[in-house]
Amino acid sequence: MEEYPEELRSPPVALVALVGCSEHHGAMTTHLLSHQPPINTLALPDFSKLTHLLQRSSSSPGGFLKRDWLVKHRTKIPAVVAALFSWDHVSGDPAQWVQVCSDLDDIKAAIRPKNTKLLLLVVVGKSEDISEDRLLALRKRAEVDSKYLLLYNPDPSQLDNSLQRLSASFAELGATFYKEEGRRIKARIEKNFSTPDLQVRYCFKVAVYAEFRGDWAEALRFYEDAYYALREMIATLTRLSPIQRLFEIKTVAEHLHFKICTLLLHGGKLNEAVTWFCQHIGSYKSLVGAPEVIFLHWEWLSRQFLVFAELLDSSSTTLPSTSSQPLGTDQLLSEWEFHPAYYYQSAAQYMMEKRSALDLAVSNSETFNENDDGSAESVIPSVYIGQFARLLEQGDDSAIQSITDDEYTRYVIAEGKRFQDNFEIIALLKKCTEMYSNHKVQRMGSLCAFQIAREYFSLGDFSNGKQFFDGVANLYREEGWITLLWEVLGYLRECSRKQGAIKEFVEVSLEMAALPVSMVDGIQSSKCGPGGPASLEQRELIHREIFAFISGEARLEFLNGLDDLKVTGDNTLHLEIDLVSPLRSVLLASVAFHEQIIKSGVSSLITISLLSHLPLPIEIDQLEVQFNQAQCNFIIMNAQKSPLEAVQSEQHDHRMESAPSLTLTTNKWLRLTYDIKSEQSGKLECTSIIAKIGPHFTICCRAESPASMDDLPVWKFENLVETFPTKDPALSFSGQKAAQVEEPEPQVDVTLGASGPALVGERFLVPVTIASRGHAIYAGEMKINLVDVRGGGLFSPRESEPLSLDTHHVELLGIVGAEWEDESRKGSDKIMKIQQSFGLVSVPFLKIGESWSCKLEIMWHRPKPIMLFVSLGYSPISCELNAQKVNVHQTLQIEGKDAVLIDQHFMLPFRKDSLLLSKVKPAPDSSQFSPLPLHESTVLVVSAKNCCEVTLQLLSMAIKVDDGATEKSCSIQHGNEDLGTAVLVPGEEFKKVFNVIPNLDSSKLRLGVVHLKWKRHCGIEDRSGLTVTDSKVVTKHELPDVHVELSPIIVNLECPPYAIVGDSFMYHVKIRNQTELLQEVKFSLADSQTFVLSGSHSDTVFVLPKSEHVLRYKVVPLVSGLQQLPRISLTSVRYSARFQLSVAASNVFVFPSKPHCNTEKRVEEPAAAAD
Amino acid sequence: MIVCVAVVGHQNNPLYIQSFTDADDALKLHHIVHCSLDVVDERVNNPKKSGPTLNDTFLGLLYPTENYKVYGYLTNTKVKFILVTTDLDVRDADVRNEVPCCIC
C-alpha cells in the first residue's frame, strides 16, 4: 500500500486560495486546517501569482488518467479564491480604489476559465467607520453575492467570529464548486459520445469531486462505474501495443479497486469489501497477458492481495470482529476470508509465482538478447497512469517518446532483475506466521514457516532455514503426517549436508529411513523436495548410503570439499536416543528383569530386546549393557565378527558375553537373555544400551521398561504385525527395567535384655548383646532411637519445667559397659554420638561366634512408655566404605512408671482447736492455701505410697528448703531422717509425721520440698541390680504453700485419757484470748445420754486480753466404750464466728471398771472393755 | 471435481488420504488438508462461530484457497472427513449431500 501515492491513499481535501494582505494568512490557514472537514489553503502574497497558478494546459488524451491530476486538484487548483483588501485601500483615495478595481479585474479574468468561486474579504481596523456605499461598489465590481463579501476584523475580540464566518463561506463555496465541476463532467458522460477511455476518466473525476465534498456514496458509485467501464474495454484491446495496454488497464483497475475497497471498509461494509475483492481477482486472474511478461501478472496479483490484506489489517481495529460477521446460508465466504493473514499468505504465494516466471523470463531474455542495446535505459513513467515512455534528451530540451512492447518487455525484465523477491516473500510469510500464532492457528502457521524455510534454503541461508524446518518437523512428527514430515526432513537433511554437520545429517537420514512410508501411499512427484520421493526405495537408498558411510566402507561423494568431516578414528560419531527422540524408531531398546526382586549374590535373568524400523537389516558389532551399578555392566559381542582388540583392552574389567548373531531385522524384536548377578543391595536398573556399528559409530539408546513403553508415534497407526519384546507375553506387559536387590540375610543376633518397668528418676540400664552367628562384623554401627509409643515427641517444650533435665521426658544418658577389645582401634574407629533420644555407637570387629555387649543408660523424667529401636548395620565382608551393608533391627517397649506417690495433710494437736478467721469466713481474695495458726504447733503428715510393681526400700525422708528464709519463718521438727530399712511393698503406704510451728504471719509461706531417698529392694532372687546402675534415687515432692495467721481464740479440752463407768472426772474447757481485746464468747454444751455432768450449759463469758477462761464440768460416764463427751460449741461475738471442736477431739474411752495396768494383761484389757 | 478426500483421526493424525489428481499436486493437497484441521479445531472449540451449522456434523466450507475449496465433516468420535474440490461455485447443500456418499 505504501507504494501508492499519498493522494491516492488519503481522501481528498478541499483547497482554497488566499490572495493579498498576507499578514493575515497565517491565522486563516491554521483555522481552516482545524475546521471539520479540514480545508487546505494556498496563501498567495500578491495577485499576479494567481494568474500563473490558474493557467490552463491542454493536450490530447493519451491514456486513462493523468498521473498528476489528483495532485493538481489537491495542491494547485483552488475551489475558492478569497481576495483580501484592506479597508484603507477600499476607502482610500481614488488612486488606491483604482488599484483595487484593477486587482479585482485580474482575479476575475484568472478564475473565470476554471469556474473558481470568489470570496471578498475586507480587512477592517478597530474603530473604522464602514461606508456601505464603498462596500456595495466593491461587491458590484466583483460581481459576487452580498453574503460572499465578508468583513474580517483581526482584533482579538472579533477574530473568532470573523474566522467562523470565513470558514463557513469557504465550505459552502467549495462544496458548490466541486458539485458544479462534478455536474459538468457528468453531463459529458450522459452525452454518451465519449470514448471508453474518456468514460473511465470522467467517472473517476466525478468520483473524486464527490470525495472532495464528502459524498462517499456517489464517489463509490462512480468509482464502480469507472471500474466496470474499464473491465469492458479488455475485450476490445485494439491498440498496437497490447502488453502495455493491458498493463495500463490493470494499473488503473488496481487504483479504482483500491479506492472502492477503501470506501467500503470506511463505511464498515466488510462483507461487501471482501466480496468485491473476490470479484476483482476473479475478473483479472485469467488475464495473464503475454507469456514473456507473465511475471507482471503474478506481481500484480500479489500486490492486490497484499494491499487488501493491509487494508483489512488497518481497518480491523475499527471494524467489528470477523467472527461476528453474519454468514448467510448461501454465503460463500468463510471466516478465513476476513483474516488478513490469508491475503498475506496468498500475496506471498503469487510472489513466488512471479519469481519463478521472472527467472524464466530473465533466462529467456538472456538467451535471445545477448547483445542488449541498452534500450531499457531512459524509460520513465509517462504522464498517464500505467504507461511508460522514453525520455529523449537533446541538450537542454527533452521529449517523451512512446515505446514498443518489445522495449517495454526488456525494460520490465531489467527492472525485475533489480529486486530480490525472496526477502519480500519471507517478510510476508513471517507476518502471516506471526498473525497465525497470535490466533493460535498452528498448522497454517507451520505451512508458512515451511515456506519461509524453503525461501531461506533457496537463498543458501541454511542455518535460518534449519531453524524453521525444525519447528515444522516437530508438528508433523507430533501429529504423524508422514508425507509432510518426509519432505521437511529431506530439506533438513540437505541443510545439514550443506553445512557439513555430519551428526545431524546422520540423525535426519536415519529418521527418514525409519519413517513408515511405503509404495502404496508414496508420492512420486517431480515437485518433491531434496529428500526425494517418499517411497520405500528411497528409504532403502538412504539406509544404504548412510550405513556405508558410517561403517567406513564408503565416503560421501556429495560432501564436496568436506572430506575432513568423514568419520575417522579421531572423529567418532555417537548418537543419543532418549525417550522422546524421533530416532526411537531407528533403535528401540526394551529391557526386562525376569524377577522383580533379586537376592544379593544370586543370579537372575534379564532380557534385552531391540527393535528397528529401518528398511534393511542392520548388523551390530557389539552391545554394551549399562546399569546404575557399574560392576554389573556387560558387553555382548557378535560372534560372527572378530572382536576388536582395542575394545577388549579397554573394557577388560566388564563381563563379556557372546551372541551368535546381532542382526536387527525390520520390525522384528531381537531378544537376548543373559544372567545378571548383583552383590549390592538396592535398586538395580538398566540405564542404557550402547550399540556399536562399525569402528567409529555408536548409538546410545535409553533402556525402556516393556510395561511402560510408549508407542512409536509415527508407527502407531501402521498396519504391522505386533510382536512382543519378550518371549513371555506376560513379561512384555509387566516387565521392568529395574529390579530390587535384597540384602543378604543377617546372621547376627541383637538382644535387648531389659526386664520390668523403669522407674521415674532412676538410671535404667538396658543390656544390648550382639552375637555373631554366621557373619563377621566389620564396620558395625549401632543406632539407638527412643520413640514415644503414644506418638508425639519425647521432647515437650510447652511444659515449663524448673529443671532443665526435665525438658526431655525420657533421655538416653549414655552407653556403659561397651568395651573394645582392640584398644588401638578404639581411637580411630570408635564413634559414639549420644543425643537425648538418639545414639550412634560403633561396634568393634567381631569374628564369627563372638559377641559384644553394652548397656544403654536411659532415664525417665516422666512416666510414659517408650519404644526402643536398635539397628545394627554392618558389613560381613570388609571395612570399605561402599561395602555391602547388612542391617538388623530390634525393638523393645519399656514402660516408665512413677515409683512413689507422695502426699501430705495437716492436723491440729489433740483436743485443741484454734479459731482461724480465714477458715470461718473465707475472704474473696484469700488464697486456697491451708491456714495454719501462728506460733502454734501443727502436725504435718507426709505419706509415700509405692505405686509401682517393685518393692522399694526407703532410705530417708526429709523436708528441705532451698534457702534460709523458711527456717526463720517456720520451724519443722521431726524424728530421725534416716529410715533404716523401711521396705515398701507394692501398694503399701509409708507415713512420717512432722511438727510445724509457723513463726511468721504470712499469707503464703513455703514449707519446702520433701526429699525421699529410695532404692529398689534387692531380694535374694531379685536381679534388678542388673538393670539399674545407681540404686539410690531421690524423689522430690514440693509441699504446698500455707497461709499463716494469728488465731484470736484457742480452745483446749482437758480430760483424763480414759474414764471408768460411774467414776466422776473433771472436764475442762480452756478458752484463751490471744488478742489485746476483751472477747465475749458465748458457749453452749449439748447434753449427752452417756454422761451426767454438772456445770453451766450455756452462757456468755468475757475473756480478758491475753488471759484464759476455764469452764469446769464434772462428768460421770454411764456407759462404757468409746464415747463422745458432751460437745461444746463456741461463738465469738466480736468476730461473729462460731466454732466447734472436732468429734475426734471430744472422744474418750470409758472402761467398765478400773483397768489393771499389768504388762501381761495390757493386750487383753481393751478387748474386755469392749465387751 | 473432487480432487482429494482424507480421513483424519481424533488426534489429527491422517488415517487415509487419497488424491485424484496428478502427483505434482499431491503434496500440496496434503498441506491443504492438514491446514484445514486448524479450521476444524476452531469450529469445534468455538461452536458459536459456526452459526447455523451448530450441532451439525457437517462443518461446511472450511477454507478457500485460490484453486480449491475445502469441506469438512466431523463424526461423533472426532474423526474428520475432509474433502477438497476444484468446483469454486459449488453450493454447501450439494456438498452436504455428497459427503455422506463419500463416506459410504
Side-chain angles (χ1 to χ4, degrees):
Chain A
M1 203 159 70
E2 279 74 21
E3 62 197 41
Y4 291 154
E6 167 63 27
E7 63 269 16
L8 191 69
R9 282 185 282 152
S10 59
V13 177
L15 183 73
V16 298
L18 303 172
V19 194
C21 294
S22 54
E23 66 272 18
H24 301 293
H25 289 186
M28 292 180 191
T29 307
T30 315
H31 178 76
L32 290 172
L33 257 184
S34 61
H35 185 257
Q36 272 311 324
I39 299 170
N40 280 336
T41 316
L42 272 175
L44 304 172
D46 59 62
F47 295 93
S48 59
K49 294 277 190 295
L50 186 69
T51 320
H52 294 299
L53 196 68
L54 295 176
Q55 273 178 352
R56 194 180 178 94
S57 64
S58 63
S59 61
S60 60
F64 293 106
L65 302 174
K66 274 193 173 174
R67 202 176 292 276
D68 62 346
W69 189 84
L70 265 176
V71 184
K72 194 171 74 181
H73 274 79
R74 287 166 62 116
T75 59
K76 287 183 181 168
I77 299 180
V80 186
V81 171
L84 275 74
F85 297 103
S86 164
W87 174 251
D88 295 342
H89 290 126
V90 174
S91 63
D93 54 21
Q96 284 175 321
W97 173 249
V98 168
Q99 180 62 38
V100 167
C101 292
S102 159
D103 287 345
L104 208 51
D105 291 344
D106 287 349
I107 291 173
K108 278 166 61 184
I111 65 171
R112 188 169 297 121
K114 291 270 180 187
N115 201 19
T116 311
K117 302 295 170 196
L118 180 63
L119 183 71
L120 287 179
L121 275 179
V122 179
V123 182
V124 295
K126 269 185 185 175
S127 57
E128 284 168 333
D129 294 331
I130 308 297
S131 161
E132 288 293 331
D133 296 345
R134 193 51 71 89
L135 283 180
L136 188 64
L138 186 68
R139 187 166 64 78
K140 282 194 173 165
R141 185 87 192 181
E143 297 172 28
V144 294
D145 197 76
S146 62
K147 63 180 177 181
Y148 298 128
L149 192 154
L150 302 177
L151 295 178
Y152 179 77
N153 193 342
D155 185 66
S157 59
Q158 299 293 320
L159 185 63
D160 272 355
N161 275 337
S162 301
L163 289 173
Q164 291 290 348
R165 284 201 303 275
L166 180 69
S167 55
S169 300
F170 269 133
E172 189 183 338
L173 280 173
T176 313
F177 171 78
Y178 291 121
K179 198 171 183 177
E180 284 175 2
E181 283 298 292
R183 196 175 292 149
R184 191 167 59 84
I185 306 286
K186 262 194 268 182
R188 289 188 204 169
I189 298 169
E190 283 158 9
K191 283 179 188 168
N192 211 13
F193 55 77
S194 57
T195 60
D197 293 30
L198 287 176
Q199 187 85 5
V200 174
R201 179 189 293 195
Y202 292 155
C203 288
F204 178 78
K205 285 186 176 180
V206 175
V208 171
Y209 286 132
E211 270 198 285
F212 266 117
R213 59 177 200 276
D215 187 351
W216 311 117
E218 185 170 308
L220 184 62
R221 196 168 68 244
F222 277 92
Y223 278 131
E224 286 180 3
D225 286 351
Y227 183 87
Y228 290 131
L230 192 67
R231 181 73 186 84
E232 283 171 13
M233 287 185 66
I234 294 167
T236 55
L237 283 176
T238 53
R239 282 212 193 167
L240 290 174
S241 50
I243 293 178
Q244 290 182 73
R245 183 63 171 167
L246 183 61
F247 180 75
E248 185 187 359
I249 290 174
K250 280 187 188 170
T251 310
V252 175
E254 178 183 353
H255 283 202
L256 293 173
H257 163 71
F258 174 75
K259 274 288 177 191
I260 292 165
C261 282
T262 310
L263 285 172
L264 284 172
L265 289 173
H266 179 69
K269 297 170 181 171
L270 185 59
N271 260 341
E272 285 85 341
V274 174
T275 314
W276 177 268
F277 178 77
C278 292
Q279 285 174 8
H280 173 59
I281 294 300
S283 304
Y284 284 90
K285 194 177 173 187
S286 54
L287 295 175
V288 290
E292 59 268 31
V293 287
I294 198 167
F295 70 90
L296 284 179
H297 176 67
W298 300 127
E299 186 184 19
W300 183 86
L301 267 180
S302 168
R303 197 164 56 243
Q304 303 311 297
F305 277 94
L306 171 63
V307 168
F308 191 67
E310 286 172 338
L311 276 178
L312 270 187
D313 204 6
S314 60
S315 63
S316 61
T317 48
T318 53
L319 289 173
S321 74
T322 55
S323 58
S324 63
Q325 288 300 313
L327 298 175
T329 48
D330 56 346
Q331 177 63 269
L332 287 176
L333 297 176
S334 71
E335 60 262 43
W336 291 96
E337 285 172 279
F338 297 93
H339 210 300
Y342 164 66
Y343 296 96
Y344 281 121
Q345 196 180 356
S346 300
Q349 204 69 42
Y350 283 117
M351 191 54 86
M352 288 181 212
E353 294 273 3
K354 178 234 165 173
R355 188 190 49 201
S356 52
L358 178 63
D359 289 348
L360 194 65
V362 168
S363 65
N364 284 342
S365 72
E366 281 169 359
T367 313
F368 295 112
N369 302 308
E370 284 176 354
N371 299 321
D372 194 354
D373 55 359
S375 58
E377 291 172 12
S378 73
V379 172
I380 55 160
S382 162
V383 290
Y384 287 96
I385 289 175
Q387 289 186 7
F388 287 85
R390 174 168 292 120
L391 181 69
L392 297 174
E393 290 183 32
Q394 288 180 336
D396 292 338
D397 298 332
S398 60
I400 300 291
Q401 185 193 33
S402 61
I403 52 174
T404 62
D405 269 359
D406 282 346
E407 287 170 329
Y408 175 71
T409 307
R410 277 198 295 277
Y411 166 71
V412 289
I413 290 174
E415 281 293 298
K417 277 198 284 188
R418 284 172 51 207
F419 299 103
Q420 207 164 14
D421 295 321
N422 299 62
F423 295 109
E424 194 174 341
I425 295 168
I426 288 171
L428 284 172
L429 290 169
K430 277 188 174 170
K431 194 154 190 155
C432 289
T433 315
E434 189 185 329
M435 286 183 155
Y436 282 135
S437 71
N438 286 345
H439 285 80
K440 297 191 171 51
V441 182
Q442 200 182 4
R443 296 173 192 90
M444 291 192 188
S446 282
L447 178 60
C448 292
F450 176 54
Q451 287 170 334
I452 293 172
R454 274 204 312 208
E455 289 303 317
Y456 277 124
F457 183 82
S458 67
L459 281 173
D461 185 351
F462 299 112
S463 61
N464 265 325
K466 198 173 154 308
Q467 195 182 337
F468 281 96
F469 280 129
D470 274 336
V472 178
N474 281 340
L475 177 72
Y476 292 154
R477 262 188 215 118
E478 202 178 297
E479 298 192 336
W481 286 76
I482 304 303
T483 318
L484 302 179
L485 179 60
W486 173 275
E487 195 192 6
V488 177
L489 289 179
Y491 277 102
L492 270 175
R493 184 168 182 256
E494 206 55 30
C495 281
S496 44
R497 189 205 299 257
K498 299 273 190 198
Q499 287 181 308
I502 294 280
K503 189 179 175 190
E504 284 167 23
F505 176 74
V506 171
E507 280 178 345
V508 176
S509 301
L510 286 175
E511 188 184 353
M512 283 179 83
L515 278 182
V517 288
S518 60
M519 270 309 276
V520 181
D521 58 352
I523 290 177
Q524 303 287 336
S525 167
S526 59
K527 281 189 179 175
C528 58
S535 65
L536 187 60
E537 283 80 9
Q538 190 67 17
R539 281 175 60 201
E540 289 175 356
L541 189 71
I542 292 172
H543 177 104
R544 279 194 210 97
E545 183 183 85
I546 212 69
F547 275 90
F549 168 61
I550 58 182
S551 62
E553 290 168 12
R555 288 189 176 180
L556 292 179
E557 299 82 19
F558 43 77
L559 285 173
N560 298 327
L562 296 171
D563 285 346
D564 54 328
L565 285 170
K566 66 181 183 288
V567 180
T568 62
D570 299 333
N571 198 1
T572 55
L573 192 57
H574 180 73
L575 298 189
E576 290 271 352
I577 303 177
D578 59 16
L579 301 182
V580 291
S581 167
L583 295 179
R584 279 178 77 226
S585 52
V586 174
L587 187 62
L588 182 66
S590 152
V591 177
F593 280 90
H594 288 217
E595 290 165 30
Q596 291 307 300
I597 296 169
I598 305 171
K599 287 191 175 165
S600 176
V602 178
S603 77
S604 173
L605 288 176
I606 185 171
T607 294
I608 297 136
S609 316
L610 299 174
L611 181 72
S612 170
H613 283 291
L614 288 172
L616 299 170
I618 51 172
E619 184 86 15
I620 297 171
D621 295 345
Q622 73 166 44
L623 280 175
E624 186 180 347
V625 186
Q626 293 192 324
F627 294 88
N628 62 340
Q629 298 180 7
Q631 66 273 19
C632 294
N633 293 359
F634 65 95
I635 294 170
I636 306 165
M637 303 296 297
N638 189 345
Q640 293 174 353
K641 299 213 170 187
S642 58
L644 302 166
E645 288 179 10
V647 173
Q648 275 189 331
S649 62
E650 273 173 21
Q651 299 163 342
H652 63 279
D653 55 332
H654 288 317
R655 184 158 66 105
M656 306 289 278
E657 297 282 352
S658 178
S661 167
L662 285 178
T663 305
L664 270 177
T665 317
T666 306
N667 191 33
K668 193 175 174 191
W669 287 97
L670 172 68
R671 303 178 186 126
L672 303 160
T673 303
Y674 289 97
D675 284 343
I676 183 85
K677 187 164 79 173
S678 172
E679 300 290 346
Q680 194 177 346
S681 67
K683 192 179 183 186
L684 177 63
E685 182 180 6
C686 180
T687 51
S688 52
I689 311 286
I690 300 174
K692 189 156 192 157
I693 303 166
H696 308 297
F697 179 61
T698 50
I699 304 178
C700 177
C701 193
R702 196 71 59 86
E704 299 184 37
S705 300
S708 56
M709 194 161 57
D710 290 332
D711 290 334
L712 294 167
V714 292
W715 284 92
K716 189 163 49 174
F717 301 104
E718 296 301 312
N719 287 325
L720 291 174
V721 179
E722 271 202 37
T723 50
F724 295 118
T726 55
K727 277 182 187 169
D728 177 10
L731 203 57
S732 300
F733 291 110
S734 63
Q736 295 289 342
K737 63 171 178 174
Q740 198 67 30
V741 181
E742 282 187 332
E743 280 182 358
E745 195 69 31
Q747 296 188 15
V748 170
D749 288 338
V750 176
T751 319
L752 302 176
S755 64
L759 301 180
V760 172
E762 71 178 353
R763 295 165 85 87
F764 190 74
L765 292 181
V766 180
V768 180
T769 308
I770 295 169
S772 161
R773 280 189 284 117
H775 276 164
I777 297 178
Y778 290 91
E781 276 184 359
M782 187 167 70
K783 288 177 191 164
I784 303 131
N785 270 295
L786 301 181
V787 178
D788 194 344
V789 171
R790 296 194 190 105
L794 294 168
F795 178 72
S796 167
R798 277 177 297 178
E799 292 179 26
S800 58
E801 296 290 333
L803 297 169
S804 61
L805 274 177
D806 284 357
T807 51
H808 273 80
H809 297 164
V810 184
E811 192 179 10
L812 179 67
L813 296 177
I815 293 161
V816 292
E819 289 176 1
W820 285 268
E821 290 174 359
D822 186 357
E823 289 296 320
S824 62
R825 281 178 52 204
K826 187 176 170 182
S828 58
D829 287 345
K830 182 191 165 189
I831 306 165
M832 191 188 279
K833 284 183 188 167
I834 303 295
Q835 292 170 4
Q836 278 87 348
S837 60
F838 174 76
L840 177 68
V841 63
S842 61
V843 176
F845 165 66
L846 294 179
K847 289 179 193 163
I848 297 171
E850 286 183 341
S851 70
W852 177 85
S853 66
C854 66
K855 288 175 185 173
L856 308 180
E857 199 177 354
I858 306 169
M859 181 181 269
W860 270 256
H861 297 289
R862 288 287 176 85
K864 64 162 57 179
I866 59 132
M867 187 64 83
L868 172 66
F869 288 90
V870 175
S871 313
L872 172 69
Y874 70 96
S875 165
I877 298 161
S878 72
C879 286
E880 287 172 23
L881 282 175
N882 54 357
Q884 171 67 42
K885 285 262 180 183
V886 181
N887 290 292
V888 191
H889 306 283
Q890 195 65 260
T891 59
L892 178 68
Q893 184 173 346
I894 307 173
E895 203 76 24
K897 289 188 171 176
D898 271 326
V900 287
L901 189 65
I902 299 175
D903 202 2
Q904 79 288 323
H905 64 273
F906 292 98
M907 291 173 71
L908 283 169
F910 191 53
R911 288 180 182 166
K912 186 175 182 180
D913 205 350
S914 309
L915 171 65
L916 292 171
L917 294 174
S918 63
K919 207 173 179 179
V920 178
K921 292 178 184 173
D925 58 341
S926 68
S927 57
Q928 65 276 18
F929 306 135
S930 316
L932 294 185
L934 185 66
H935 302 308
E936 293 296 324
S937 168
T938 307
V939 176
L940 169 65
V941 181
V942 179
S943 63
K945 186 179 179 184
N946 183 350
C947 56
C948 65
E949 297 144 12
V950 180
T951 305
L952 303 175
Q953 183 177 1
L954 303 186
L955 301 172
S956 68
M957 182 189 273
I959 296 176
K960 291 185 180 172
V961 289
D962 47 356
D963 53 16
T966 315
E967 282 185 24
K968 290 174 190 169
S969 59
C970 168
S971 71
I972 299 172
Q973 298 156 2
H974 58 92
N976 193 359
E977 191 178 299
D978 194 357
L979 300 176
T981 53
V983 173
L984 215 56
V985 296
E988 196 182 2
E989 198 172 10
F990 170 83
K991 288 182 182 171
K992 184 171 178 183
V993 178
F994 294 85
N995 207 19
V996 180
I997 303 170
N999 297 324
L1000 191 69
D1001 189 358
S1002 166
S1003 60
K1004 186 184 175 189
L1005 183 69
R1006 275 198 71 186
L1007 290 178
V1009 180
V1010 176
H1011 284 236
L1012 176 66
K1013 197 180 277 181
W1014 56 268
K1015 64 175 187 177
R1016 288 186 183 234
H1017 181 64
C1018 301
I1020 297 166
E1021 71 286 357
D1022 194 352
R1023 295 184 304 147
S1024 61
L1026 290 171
T1027 59
V1028 284
T1029 175
D1030 187 358
S1031 55
K1032 293 175 184 173
V1033 180
V1034 175
T1035 303
K1036 293 174 182 175
H1037 173 76
E1038 188 166 7
L1039 291 170
D1041 293 344
V1042 293
H1043 173 71
V1044 180
E1045 65 178 51
L1046 181 69
S1047 174
I1049 295 166
I1050 293 174
V1051 180
N1052 265 334
L1053 297 185
E1054 281 187 7
C1055 67
Y1058 61 90
I1060 297 160
V1061 176
D1063 280 5
S1064 65
F1065 63 93
M1066 288 306 290
Y1067 174 37
H1068 299 273
V1069 177
K1070 290 182 179 172
I1071 304 165
R1072 186 151 59 90
N1073 177 7
Q1074 297 210 104
T1075 64
E1076 303 283 343
L1077 304 166
L1078 179 71
Q1079 296 286 352
E1080 183 184 357
V1081 178
K1082 288 180 184 172
F1083 69 91
S1084 66
L1085 194 73
D1087 276 335
S1088 172
Q1089 290 181 352
T1090 53
F1091 293 95
V1092 177
L1093 87 163
S1094 70
S1096 176
H1097 266 71
S1098 66
D1099 198 359
T1100 301
V1101 293
F1102 293 90
V1103 187
L1104 293 173
K1106 298 287 182 190
S1107 66
E1108 197 172 66
H1109 181 87
V1110 182
L1111 301 175
R1112 291 185 180 81
Y1113 297 93
K1114 191 156 198 166
V1115 186
V1116 180
L1118 301 177
V1119 181
S1120 63
L1122 188 65
Q1123 301 298 337
Q1124 195 176 25
L1125 284 165
R1127 286 188 77 186
I1128 187 160
S1129 64
L1130 301 168
T1131 304
S1132 165
V1133 176
R1134 179 176 294 277
Y1135 306 112
S1136 304
R1138 183 173 183 273
F1139 75 109
Q1140 196 171 28
L1141 269 71
S1142 62
V1143 175
S1146 52
N1147 277 352
V1148 70
F1149 194 82
V1150 181
F1151 287 98
S1153 61
K1154 188 174 171 77
H1156 301 285
C1157 296
N1158 292 336
T1159 51
E1160 293 84 7
K1161 292 180 182 176
R1162 188 176 290 172
V1163 181
E1164 298 167 10
E1165 276 171 4
D1171 295 335
Chain B
M1 188 185 87
I2 293 172
V3 290
C4 181
V5 288
V7 184
V8 181
H10 75 286
Q11 290 174 332
N12 290 328
N13 51 304
L15 297 175
Y16 172 80
I17 184 159
Q18 182 65 54
S19 50
F20 305 104
T21 58
D22 56 340
D24 282 0
D25 278 347
L27 208 55
K28 189 177 176 184
L29 289 168
H30 273 63
H31 278 295
I32 288 173
V33 171
H34 185 244
C35 285
S36 67
L37 296 175
D38 275 331
V39 194
V40 176
D41 278 358
E42 169 96 6
R43 296 264 173 99
V44 172
N45 296 333
N46 303 301
K48 282 179 189 171
K49 286 187 182 177
S50 46
T53 58
L54 183 69
N55 291 332
D56 198 348
T57 49
F58 177 63
L59 297 171
L61 174 64
L62 293 180
Y63 117 98
T65 64
E66 275 305 290
N67 302 315
Y68 307 108
K69 281 195 184 293
V70 187
Y71 289 86
Y73 188 91
L74 178 72
T75 70
N76 289 331
T77 52
K78 306 288 179 207
V79 171
K80 295 119 194 161
F81 293 89
I82 310 287
L83 185 148
V84 187
T85 171
T86 48
D87 299 329
L88 295 180
D89 51 353
V90 70
R91 281 159 33 113
D92 263 18
D94 296 338
V95 183
R96 185 189 287 264
N97 296 331
E98 196 76 20
V99 171
C101 299
C102 290
I103 297 166
C104 299

